[in-house]
């Protein structure tokens, strides 16, 4: 965020007021709060309250809603913009089942949790949109980085 242009805007959504206050405190200490709009509530409902396109969107919420979140923002990401989805390899995810599913074993997701199936649905959604190119990086708990090409 410190590398953003001076006129850039950052929007942070959080449904938990305590977490939102903590984020505000962190960004104030980092000197980034002035350019940030803090929105309390469900991000998927709040996105329409923000005008314009997004250069960067980070998903780090309920994994079973990532595909729904992508549907909400896919047309609002600027060409050249990035969508990052966190926790696509570890945490509540059964990564072995995701790998098997990705290699064509349809029943690999049978018996997995909602988070694993949600990540699979998200990866399906970004792969199905020809405007995006996606790579999964083994950083932290795994990041899916999707770049809007057109």
């Amino acid at each position: 965020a410190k590398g953003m242009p001076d006129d850039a805007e950052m929007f942070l959504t959080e449904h938990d007021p305590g977490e939102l206050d903590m984020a505000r405190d962190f960004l104030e200490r980092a000197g980034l709060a002035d350019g940030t709009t803090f929105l309390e509530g469900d991000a998927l409902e709040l996105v329409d309250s923000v005008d314009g396109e997004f250069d960067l969107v980070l998903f780090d919420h309920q994994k079973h809603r990532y595909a729904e979140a992508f549907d909400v923002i896919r047309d609002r990401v600027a060409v050249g913009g990035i969508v990052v989805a966190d926790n696509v390899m570890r945490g509540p995810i059964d990564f072995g089942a995701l790998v098997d599913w990705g290699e064509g074993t349809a029943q690999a997701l049978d018996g997995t949790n909602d988070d694993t199936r949600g990540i699979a649905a998200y990866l399906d959604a970004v792969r199905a949109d020809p405007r995006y190119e996606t790579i999964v990086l083994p950083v932290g708990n795994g990041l899916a980085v999707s770049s809007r090409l057109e």
Side-chain angles (χ1 to χ4, degrees), residues 28-104:
E28 283 174 359
R29 286 189 280 148
L32 297 168
D34 288 343
T36 303
T37 300
F38 298 87
L39 302 169
E40 184 179 332
D42 186 314
L44 303 186
E45 296 171 9
L46 293 169
V47 74
D48 285 338
S49 70
V50 177
D51 293 330
E53 293 182 315
F54 300 104
D55 295 316
L56 174 67
V57 176
L58 169 65
F59 297 151
D60 188 13
H61 62 284
Q62 298 163 314
K63 310 318 171 218
H64 65 275
R65 296 184 70 200
Y66 276 19
E68 178 185 1
F70 181 67
D71 286 340
V72 169
I73 61 93
R74 72 169 71 215
D75 296 329
R76 304 263 322 264
V77 175
V79 173
I82 303 290
V83 178
V84 179
D86 195 18
N87 303 114
V88 299
M89 296 176 73
R90 285 185 281 287
I93 306 306
D94 182 344
F95 187 62
L98 277 176
V99 169
D100 291 344
W101 165 81
E103 292 176 348

